[in-house]
Structures are given as C-alpha cells and as structure tokens.
C-alpha cells in the first residue's frame, strides 16, 4: 500500500512508534470493553474495587496511548505533506524548461488541491489505526468467549471486506475523473483573476466567460465529484448493511439450529456492536485511500522531464578562448515547435550565429518569425533538435547547461516580477539598488528594504522597470531583453535605449534586444533579422539601412 510506504519512508522510527502505540491503544480499548462485559455478565461475584482499578488503568492507558498514536501519525503526516511540497517544487525547478512550460496549467492544482487531498485523508489515519487495533483485540476476546460465534462473525467480516473491495474501484474511477476536470476549472479561475481588467471592460465577454466557461467547467467537475462522494458513501453504507444483515442471518440460524442460546448470543452481540463504529471508520478511510492514490497518480503522471536533474553538473572553463573569438556560437541550430497562430508546426533554422563578447545585438522581425524561440535556445531554455551551441569554443552539453544558463539574465514580455532580492549580493544591492531606482524614476513608488522591494502594487510598466532593476543587479555576463520597451511610454523607452543599454555596455556586458523600435536601431552593433524561422539579415545597422533603401 502506497500510503504505508510513504509513512515508512518519512520516518521509520515514528512509524514504528505510531504502530506500537496504536496496537497498545487497541489492547487497552479491548480490555476496557472486556472489563465492562465481564461485569455486566454477572457470572462471578462482582468486586467493585477490582473493577474500578482495572477499568481506570486500562481507561487511562487507552487515553494516553491514543494521544501518542495520534501525535506520531500527525507528525508523520506533516513530514509527508512537507516532503511532497518540497519534492515537487524541486522536481519543477530541476526539470527541463520545455516540459514545465508545457504542463504549466497543471502544476498549481497539484501543489494546492492534490496535497490538500493527501493531508485531509491522512489526518484520519490515527482514528483508523486505533479503531482497527481495537477491532482486532475484540476479535481475539470474542474467540476466547465463543469460538463458534467468532467463526460466524469472521465470515461476516470477510463478506464486509469483499463488498468494500468490490465498490472501491468506482470511488477510484470517479476520483481520477473529478481530479482531471479540476485542472480545467483552475485554468478558468486563472483567467478570472489575471484577466479581470479585460472582463471588467467587456460586459458581453464577462457574461460569456461566466456562463460558457466557468459554469460548465464547474458543473462537470462537480458532477464527477458528486459521483465520487456517492460511491464513497454507498461503500460505507454497504459495509454497515452487510454487517447488520450478517447479524440478522446469524440470529435466524441460532433460532433454527440452537447451537447457542439467544441469551448467550445477546451477551456476545454486545462485543460485536463495539466493532461496528471502527469498521465503518476504516471503510470510509479505504475510500479516502483511493482519493490519495488519485492525487499521487496525478503528481507522478504530470509529465515533467527529469533528465536534467540527474545529470552531473559541469563548469565550462576558459580554455583555448580569447576576446577576439565568439563568446557564443550557434552552429546549424534547428528547432521545431507548434505555432499556435498558424495552427501548424514551425521550424526554426538551420541557423549559424556568432555572438561576440561586449556586443549589442538587436533582433528584429515580424510576429511569429521565431525571435523568442531563438532567444530561448540562446539562453539554453530550449534544447535544439539539431545543431550545437558553443560557449567560449566549448560545446554546451546537458551536464553544462545549468552553468551555461547562469551566464544570462533575461526579461521576457511575460516575465514574473519577484519582490525578494535575497539572491543578490548585499553590497551590490546597497551600492547600485538606489542608483537604478533613481535612474528608472521609481523613487516615489518603491525602495529596497530588508532584501526586498517595499511594494509590487505598481502598473505593468513600472513592474517591468522593477524587473529591469533586478536583472541589472544580478550582474550577469549576457543580457537578453524581449520587447522590454513595448509597453513603456516614449520617455522610458528613451531611458532604456540611451541610458540603460549604455550603462550595461560600458560594463562590457553582451546585450541582445528583441525589438520593433526602428528609431533606435543605429545604437546596435549588429542587426539580426528573422523571417519564417530563418535569419535573412545579419549586418550592421548602416548596411541594413542601405539594403532597405535599395529594396525600395
């Protein structure tokens, strides 16, 4: 059983302690019931002092040991939940960018809903383990009290188990389907939160998004969630009904066959009734286990590629290289991907492209020409299907990809802005942070306090300026900006092209800018133009301008 493996893996010592405490709790519970049962039988002379001592001892033992069992299982639960979160976060961070990008919409539901499902169901484990230990203890006492009736009861319990086992696949089935549709619902909620401006402005769209997107997605997820709960409830009720039917049948057999008296069976029945509640709890937990399995299956099946995580990390040393040679060189690079705008596969390349140290390159071209894809290949985010990337005359292998990526700082049009700056050297932060905030005219809006920005409640343009500050403070060797100035007003475009880029170039940084701002093309050392996945021009701005004049 996967949950038991998870518990043992989390902490074998705690699992052993929890198991022992649960067994002893069951023993004490059984002895309390046995003490009460013997007292009400009246077969022997009742000694109130002896009864009180035995009852109090087992009662206190039951209370203390059940607390120990619950506490240790709760500790194990917390360890499991923490480990699931950390392991999955690590899995995401160590995976290939392409696989995470492809599964992006599935990741947040796993970190929230699936982990919550595991937590909720494991939290019931202490009651289940104590209950099962009690049932086992009572069964042992029942064998001592009446072997014949115990055999009959065991047959009834086996029937209960078979009925429960037969109904659990339906719980599992609907748990999996419900979880699948929850992904779709989370995507709709993302649109609701992050697209609120567009939805607020357009009444027809707002109404359509609610009625045609959110409500249908919620309805279908609720339908299967309801079926999952109904299947789980039916399983629990069938357990109770099978147990009661077995007891009713046993009474009829006793009346006809007289192998024990009904009075004796009445005394025995008292013991059986003590098992109904914990058995019902255990049956409900079995349904919960199917939910846990569905959640764990979803975590394992998300499709994240871990090839990168298992590679040995290597550093590319500066051997056989000098400043006159290319810092980065793409050789016969090709990459195929799905082009959503054209609804077809798109091939980038083959491309040969050298990038010199300290060079400022402007990458231009129409929408869908392959600029951003080429940028992601340059950064090492996408692995080329063919060809080779060289850094300082050394091929960038899988083992060296992490080192290679660490040479870059990049800002894309959809980049997320973090407020934390703890990964940046404190001296660098204090020395240049204020200077950059002033340069980008954010002094009235934000400041750096305790290694973080004081606020992120800013406009989109201002957030992009924060991203630019972080990028510069990271002090990388190579900078890539994908349409950074696209949503900036003319004043900040001017600051970006004439001040920020000059600031970086003066520090001998290599700069690649994806842009449409032809007014600033003359600032570049080189223009690279893409069309339909091919480099159609690779020249200085002056030559590019001359070629443009000749074409007209």
């Amino acid at each position: 059983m996967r949950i038991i493996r998870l518990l043992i893996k989390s902490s074998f010592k705690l699992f052993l302690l929890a198991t022992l405490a649960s067994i002893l709790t069951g023993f004490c519970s059984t002895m309390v019931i046995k003490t009460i049962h013997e007292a009400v039988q009246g077969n022997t002379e009742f000694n109130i002092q002896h009864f009180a001592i035995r009852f109090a001892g087992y009662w206190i033992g039951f209370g203390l040991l059940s607390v120990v069992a619950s506490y240790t299982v709760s500790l194990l639960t917390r360890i499991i939940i923490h480990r699931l979160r950390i392991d999955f976060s690590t899995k995401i961070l160590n995976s290939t960018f392409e696989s995470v990008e492809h599964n992006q919409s599935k990741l947040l539901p796993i970190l929230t809903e699936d982990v919550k499902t595991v937590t909720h169901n494991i939290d019931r484990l202490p009651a289940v383990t104590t209950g099962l230990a009690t049932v086992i203890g009572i069964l042992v006492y029942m064998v001592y009290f009446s072997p014949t009736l115990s055999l009959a009861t065991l047959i009834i319990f086996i029937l209960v188990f078979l009925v429960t086992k037969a109904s659990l696949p339906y719980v599992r089935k609907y748990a999996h389907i419900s979880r699948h549709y929850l992904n779709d619902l989370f995507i709709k909620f993302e649109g609701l939160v992050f697209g609120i401006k567009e939805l607020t402005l357009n009444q027809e769209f707002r109404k359509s998004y609610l009625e045609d997107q959110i409500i249908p997605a919620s309805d279908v997820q609720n339908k299967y969630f309801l079926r999952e709960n109904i299947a789980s409830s039916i399983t629990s009720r069938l357990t109770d009904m099978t147990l009661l039917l077995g007891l009713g049948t046993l009474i009829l057999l006793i009346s006809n066959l007289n192998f024990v008296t009904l009075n004796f069976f009445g005394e025995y029945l008292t013991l059986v009734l003590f098992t109904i509640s914990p058995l019902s709890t255990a049956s409900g937990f079995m349904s919960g286990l199917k939910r846990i399995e569905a959640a764990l299956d979803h975590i394992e099946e998300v499709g994240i590629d871990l090839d990168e995580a298992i590679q040995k990390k290597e550093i590319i040393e500066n051997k056989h290289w000098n400043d006159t040679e290319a810092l980065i060189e793409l050789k016969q690079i090709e990459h195929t991907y799905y082009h959503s705008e054209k609804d077809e596969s798109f091939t980038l390349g083959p491309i040969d492209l050298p990038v010199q140290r300290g060079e400022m390159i402007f990458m231009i071209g129409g929408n869908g020409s392959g600029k951003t894809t080429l940028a992601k290949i340059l950064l090492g985010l996408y692995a080329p299907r063919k060809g080779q990337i060289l850094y300082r005359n050394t091929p960038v292998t899988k083992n060296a990809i992490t080192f290679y990526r660490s040479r870059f700082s990049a800002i894309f049009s959809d980049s997320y802005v973090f407020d934390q700056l703890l990964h940046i050297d404190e001296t660098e932060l204090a020395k240049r942070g204020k200077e950059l905030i002033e340069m980008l005219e954010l002094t009235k809006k934000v400041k750096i306090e305790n290694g973080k920005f004081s606020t992120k409640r800013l406009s989109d343009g201002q957030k992009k300026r924060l991203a630019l500050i972080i990028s510069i403070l990271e002090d990388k060797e190579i900078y890539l900006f994908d349409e950074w100035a696209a949503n900036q007003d003319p004043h900040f475009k001017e600051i970006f092209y004439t001040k920020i880029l000059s600031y970086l170039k003066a520090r001998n940084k290599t700069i690649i800018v994806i842009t449409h701002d032809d007014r600033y093309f003359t600032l570049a050392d080189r223009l690279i133009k893409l069309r339909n996945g091919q480099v159609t021009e690779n020249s200085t701005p002056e030559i590019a301008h001359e070629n443009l004049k000749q074409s007209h």
Side-chain angles (χ1 to χ4, degrees):
M1 192 180 292
R2 292 167 74 181
I3 190 61
I4 300 300
R5 291 200 300 270
L6 266 177
L7 290 166
I8 293 172
K9 186 179 177 182
S10 298
S11 173
F12 180 72
K13 289 182 180 178
L14 279 177
F15 175 76
L16 203 60
L17 179 60
T19 303
L20 182 62
S22 296
I23 292 170
L24 291 176
T25 300
F27 171 76
C28 288
S29 175
T30 302
M31 294 308 294
V32 167
I33 294 166
K34 179 176 181 292
T35 302
I36 293 171
H37 186 252
E38 288 176 345
V40 298
Q41 274 186 279
N43 294 337
T44 57
E45 186 178 343
F46 182 68
N47 186 322
I48 189 167
Q49 186 177 5
H50 181 65
F51 169 80
I53 292 171
R54 287 187 65 198
F55 181 85
Y58 291 127
W59 178 75
I60 292 170
F62 170 77
L64 292 175
L65 289 166
S66 63
V67 168
V68 172
S70 298
Y71 177 71
T72 49
V73 172
S74 295
L75 276 180
L76 281 169
T77 303
R78 297 298 163 257
I79 292 170
I80 288 171
I81 300 310
H82 179 68
R83 182 166 290 172
L84 279 174
R85 288 172 178 158
I86 300 307
D87 285 354
F88 193 69
S89 298
T90 303
K91 187 177 182 181
I92 293 171
L93 292 172
N94 286 336
S95 299
T96 62
F97 173 79
E98 287 181 84
S99 63
V100 174
E101 187 180 50
H102 179 70
N103 291 284
Q104 209 163 18
S105 62
K106 302 176 184 178
L107 302 181
L108 190 58
I110 288 174
L111 287 166
T112 54
E113 192 65 25
D114 289 327
V115 171
K116 185 181 79 173
T117 298
V118 175
T119 305
H120 173 72
N121 287 287
I122 294 181
D123 276 341
R124 299 162 61 189
L125 196 56
V128 174
T129 53
T130 300
L132 287 176
T134 301
V135 169
I136 292 169
I138 293 172
L139 283 173
V140 172
Y141 177 58
M142 286 161 63
V143 171
Y144 164 77
F145 186 71
S146 174
T148 304
L149 290 176
S150 296
L151 178 61
T153 306
L154 183 61
I155 293 170
I156 294 171
F157 284 174
I158 290 172
L159 290 173
V160 167
F161 172 76
L162 292 176
V163 168
T164 303
K165 187 175 176 61
S167 59
L168 285 179
Y170 295 97
V171 178
R172 180 183 173 85
K173 173 187 172 182
Y174 291 124
H176 271 277
I177 297 173
S178 171
R179 180 59 192 79
H180 170 75
Y181 283 113
L182 190 65
N183 271 345
D184 296 337
L185 190 58
F186 263 81
I187 293 171
K188 309 303 180 191
F189 287 153
E190 280 182 13
L192 179 66
V193 174
F194 296 112
I196 191 64
K197 290 193 295 295
E198 292 77 8
L199 291 167
T200 303
L201 286 170
N202 191 321
Q203 183 179 353
E204 290 78 14
F205 183 29
R206 184 165 69 246
K207 182 181 178 183
S208 172
Y209 195 77
L210 178 64
E211 294 179 355
D212 302 331
Q213 298 286 325
I214 292 178
I215 290 176
S218 180
D219 277 345
V220 71
Q221 194 276 330
N222 265 338
K223 179 177 75 174
Y224 287 105
F225 183 67
L226 177 63
R227 290 183 184 180
E228 176 193 348
N229 283 335
I230 290 173
S232 179
S233 297
I234 289 174
T235 298
S236 296
R237 297 295 75 79
L238 281 174
T239 300
D240 296 341
M241 290 177 68
T242 304
L243 182 59
L244 294 173
L245 178 63
L247 292 176
T249 304
L250 191 55
I251 290 172
L252 291 175
L253 290 173
I254 291 170
S255 299
N256 289 320
L257 302 178
N258 293 317
F259 53 88
V260 294
T261 65
L262 284 175
N263 285 337
F264 182 81
F265 179 70
E267 295 174 4
Y268 178 84
L269 187 61
T270 306
L271 297 174
V272 176
L273 294 176
F274 276 111
T275 67
I276 292 177
S277 177
L279 278 176
S280 181
T281 302
S283 172
F285 182 71
M286 291 293 285
S287 300
L289 282 181
K290 295 304 174 185
R291 291 191 176 102
I292 291 176
E293 286 180 11
L296 293 176
D297 285 344
H298 201 77
I299 291 172
E300 291 175 4
E301 293 169 3
V302 72
I304 290 182
D305 182 5
L306 280 178
D307 284 348
E308 197 172 308
I310 61 175
Q311 298 293 333
K312 178 183 176 183
K313 302 296 185 290
E314 291 180 357
I315 294 174
I316 299 175
E317 298 180 6
N318 299 336
K319 295 178 180 178
H320 314 300
W321 181 84
N322 58 65
D323 281 354
T324 62
E325 298 174 303
L327 177 67
I328 300 171
E329 190 170 3
L330 305 187
K331 287 189 172 183
Q332 289 293 295
I333 291 294
E334 288 188 34
H335 187 81
T336 302
Y337 66 97
Y338 176 72
H339 198 307
S340 58
E341 292 179 9
K342 297 182 179 180
D343 192 26
E344 61 185 23
S345 292
F346 180 85
T347 298
L348 178 79
I351 290 176
D352 289 292
L353 180 66
V355 178
Q356 304 296 330
R357 185 168 184 260
E359 186 177 24
M360 183 153 66
I361 296 172
F362 281 12
M363 197 182 296
I364 62 175
N367 291 333
S369 61
K371 301 186 302 296
T372 299
T373 301
L374 178 57
K376 289 178 178 177
I377 289 173
L378 264 169
L379 293 167
L381 296 177
Y382 286 174
R385 300 296 181 257
K386 291 182 181 179
Q388 193 176 51
I389 302 174
L390 274 69
Y391 172 75
R392 299 181 182 240
N393 280 344
T394 305
V396 179
T397 62
K398 280 187 176 182
N399 290 353
I401 194 68
T402 300
F403 171 81
Y404 173 72
R405 287 179 189 152
S406 68
R407 307 298 92 196
F408 291 88
S409 182
I411 302 177
F412 288 93
S413 56
D414 59 351
S415 286
Y416 183 82
V417 182
F418 294 91
D419 59 354
Q420 293 286 349
L421 304 169
L422 298 176
H423 65 293
I424 297 171
D425 181 73
E426 289 184 18
T427 306
E428 189 73 11
L429 201 61
K431 179 182 174 183
R432 299 170 66 194
K434 187 176 180 182
E435 175 190 357
L436 291 168
I437 287 174
E438 290 174 355
M439 188 184 296
L440 289 162
E441 300 180 13
L442 287 170
T443 49
K444 293 182 180 179
K445 295 286 185 179
V446 69
K447 55 185 175 180
I448 296 172
E449 297 175 332
N450 302 319
K452 63 182 291 187
F453 288 121
S454 57
T455 183
K456 276 178 43 179
R457 297 178 66 85
L458 304 167
S459 68
D460 289 342
Q462 289 167 339
K463 285 181 181 177
K464 291 294 283 289
R465 281 181 259 161
L466 285 190
L468 189 56
I469 291 170
I470 296 171
S471 181
I472 296 170
L473 286 172
E474 286 175 341
D475 194 27
K476 298 294 185 175
E477 184 179 14
I478 311 157
Y479 285 82
L480 188 144
F481 303 112
D482 184 3
E483 299 284 4
W484 183 90
N487 62 347
Q488 301 291 330
D489 61 38
H491 174 66
F492 286 106
K493 282 188 179 184
E494 184 76 18
I495 288 177
F496 174 70
Y497 285 107
T498 61
K499 290 187 177 181
I500 297 298
L501 296 184
S502 297
Y503 181 89
L504 292 170
K505 193 163 177 60
R507 285 160 176 76
N508 204 28
K509 304 298 184 182
T510 303
I511 307 163
I512 301 167
V513 182
I514 298 175
T515 179
H516 288 101
D517 295 324
D518 54 4
R519 175 185 169 190
Y520 299 100
F521 283 0
T522 54
L523 298 175
D525 297 316
R526 187 153 49 110
L527 288 180
I528 296 172
K529 186 174 183 179
L530 276 83
R531 179 183 294 155
N532 296 325
Q534 302 288 325
V535 174
T536 59
E537 191 159 357
N538 183 356
S539 61
T540 63
E542 291 78 16
I543 295 174
H545 182 66
E546 187 63 32
N547 291 340
L548 182 63
K549 284 199 316 183
Q550 290 176 8
S551 67
H552 288 294

